[in-house]
Amino acid sequence: APPIAPMAARRSADEMRDRVVLGEFGVRNVHTTDFPGNYPGYDDPWDQRRFEEAFRVDVIREEEDTLEFDMVGIDAAIANAFRRILLAEVPTMAVEKVFVYNNTSIVQDEILAHRLGLIPIRADPRLFEYRNQGDQEGTEIDTLQFQLKIKCKRNPQAAKESSDPDELYFNHKVYSKHMTWVPLGNQTDLFPDADFRPVHDDILIALLRPGQEIDVLMHCVKGIGKDHAKFSPVATASYRLLPDITLLQPIEDEAAETLQKCFSPGVIEIQNINGKKVARVANARLDTFSREVFRHEGLKNLVRLARVRNHYIFSVESTGILPPDVLVSEAIKILMGKCQRFLNELDSVSME
């Protein structure tokens, strides 16, 4: 066989290093190339200056509880470290102990305690310490106390023939808004303008009927998602690689319209050039890669689907306790702390 021209070889090596290619039945080039000597002619040892030049973070969309940002120039292991730290290692405050003084509702005590634990509490965890192991009594520096005391009564003014519980009873729905903060020790002085409360007021905790009541005291403590999912500060934290769609030759008229239907809305646009409809890739980022295009015999060899190997699109959705940008910066601090701890370990181990 004739030798491949050096340019073509270089191009195919570039593609293997920079792109993950999606085929009809599998994915190519998924292995990482992060160590030297993997490809002849490439200088691959890690270099801080080169990393700093290539690395960037772009915030794409920032709303109240959601953040979408791009992290470019990192390896999958680092991206995954951020994702896992966001899920399991950024601390929050959540209900840990529930002292039940009275509960005559049909919700059993342990189910009630579990439901209360999962309610996100708007309290900045950075203001508190972790509670010591085996500590039964909380103190003002490590515990937030909430009370939930509510009793259901009949409404004497209700119409006789009414069957609507909202009309017949008072307090028959127990919501998270009924949880009230009870300051411990000197917390009123420590947090003069604090507004500790559940993130959402309308989380339904239980349903009551006349005569039934709930009287509980709750202790919120600081914890991490590794110990229990109730401490996780995010609803979701995920990343995906940036899609890269290449049309290998012009696709026109009916084929262009079929192609447009194969991708998510907004990915392919159809332009009118000299009376012909011609497809072009408008915004590959929007695609979810259903691989629908591979079902069309005439199209499947005209399109290359790939993902950019070092371009991660993160989406972080907070539970509302802390804004997502704060969560990301906290995750970065935690990763830095881990690295520092590891370096200290290395320093302290005597060379043998």
Side-chain angles (χ1 to χ4, degrees):
I4 304 173
M7 270 306 289
R10 178 100 188 167
R11 256 205 315 276
S12 99
D14 276 344
E15 180 183 294
M16 283 172 78
R17 291 158 53 87
D18 301 338
R19 296 286 185 271
V20 174
V21 181
L22 282 87
E24 186 172 359
F25 298 112
V27 186
R28 294 204 315 273
N29 313 346
V30 288
H31 57 281
T32 121
T33 57
D34 265 19
F35 45 93
N38 208 344
Y39 292 91
Y42 286 91
D43 178 24
D44 268 345
W46 195 83
D47 174 66
Q48 183 167 344
R49 188 186 53 79
R50 201 166 55 201
F51 169 76
E52 284 174 8
E53 283 170 9
F55 178 73
R56 64 173 211 272
V57 174
D58 305 326
V59 175
I60 305 298
R61 187 167 54 89
E62 189 171 3
E63 286 159 23
E64 195 182 1
D65 286 336
T66 55
L67 174 68
E68 186 182 313
F69 64 95
D70 290 9
M71 216 180 250
V72 186
I74 52 168
D75 188 54
I78 307 288
N80 201 39
F82 284 130
R83 182 187 69 84
R84 290 188 53 168
I85 289 171
L86 279 167
L87 286 169
E89 293 185 56
V90 176
T92 64
M93 301 292 284
V95 174
E96 173 75 2
K97 283 190 161 29
V98 178
F99 303 96
V100 182
Y101 293 107
N102 196 1
N103 172 21
T104 51
S105 74
I106 60 164
V107 181
Q108 297 95 323
D109 293 358
E110 59 272 38
I111 304 289
L112 181 66
H114 181 252
R115 289 176 73 83
L116 292 168
L118 293 172
I119 293 172
I121 304 293
R122 180 168 287 155
D124 191 329
R126 294 168 295 184
L127 303 172
F128 297 90
E129 303 293 324
Y130 287 103
R131 193 189 268 200
N132 293 328
Q133 207 80 42
D135 240 6
Q136 289 305 308
E137 293 297 313
T139 63
E140 61 263 20
I141 57 164
D142 61 25
T143 305
L144 267 181
Q145 189 170 259
F146 282 89
Q147 188 181 34
L148 174 63
K149 192 169 182 175
I150 189 163
K151 186 170 185 176
C152 178
K153 294 188 172 75
R154 283 188 193 282
N155 174 9
Q157 265 86 53
K160 270 206 166 57
E161 63 282 352
S162 169
S163 60
D164 177 9
D166 289 335
E167 213 178 305
L168 290 171
Y169 317 123
F170 291 131
N171 287 341
H172 77 108
K173 284 184 174 172
V174 183
Y175 285 112
S176 50
K177 67 180 174 202
H178 295 125
M179 290 167 60
T180 52
W181 174 47
V182 181
L184 271 173
N186 64 347
Q187 281 182 340
T188 5
D189 307 329
L190 276 178
F191 313 113
D193 46 3
D195 181 21
F196 298 129
R197 58 192 177 83
V199 172
H200 304 285
D201 286 340
D202 56 351
I203 299 173
L204 186 65
I205 298 171
L207 290 173
L208 303 179
R209 282 298 176 261
Q212 295 182 353
E213 66 176 300
I214 290 177
D215 180 4
V216 296
L217 203 62
M218 292 159 265
H219 280 183
C220 296
V221 302
K222 184 173 174 173
I224 56 174
K226 229 186 223 182
D227 297 328
H228 194 293
K230 68 185 174 190
F231 292 115
S232 185
V234 290
T236 59
S238 63
Y239 60 79
R240 59 194 179 100
L241 290 171
L242 178 75
D244 174 44
I245 299 167
T246 318
L247 304 184
L248 303 175
Q249 66 183 64
I251 298 177
E252 299 171 348
D253 299 330
E254 271 175 47
E257 288 181 349
T258 312
L259 183 78
Q260 189 179 34
K261 290 194 184 102
C262 290
F263 293 95
S264 304
V267 175
I268 303 286
E269 72 174 14
I270 294 179
Q271 293 176 318
N272 204 324
I273 301 176
N274 303 334
K276 277 189 172 168
K277 294 175 178 169
V278 181
R280 72 173 271 275
V281 180
N283 186 356
R285 185 190 180 92
L286 299 172
D287 199 35
T288 53
F289 279 163
S290 60
R291 307 190 197 201
E292 177 72 17
V293 69
F294 291 126
R295 295 179 56 193
H296 299 277
E297 234 16 84
L299 289 176
K300 67 175 173 191
N301 298 322
L302 309 182
V303 181
R304 188 193 73 159
L305 302 185
R307 288 189 181 271
V308 182
R309 189 196 289 282
N310 66 355
H311 187 135
Y312 293 87
I313 300 172
F314 273 84
S315 67
V316 177
E317 190 180 322
S318 160
T319 52
I321 296 169
L322 288 172
D325 54 328
V326 174
L327 293 178
V328 174
S329 65
E330 287 298 301
I332 294 168
K333 284 180 198 160
I334 289 169
L335 186 58
M336 283 160 65
K338 283 174 181 284
C339 298
Q340 196 53 57
R341 210 159 50 245
F342 181 60
L343 292 172
N344 295 346
E345 282 292 315
L346 291 180
D347 288 343
S348 65
V349 172
S350 56
M351 297 298 283
E352 298 190 357

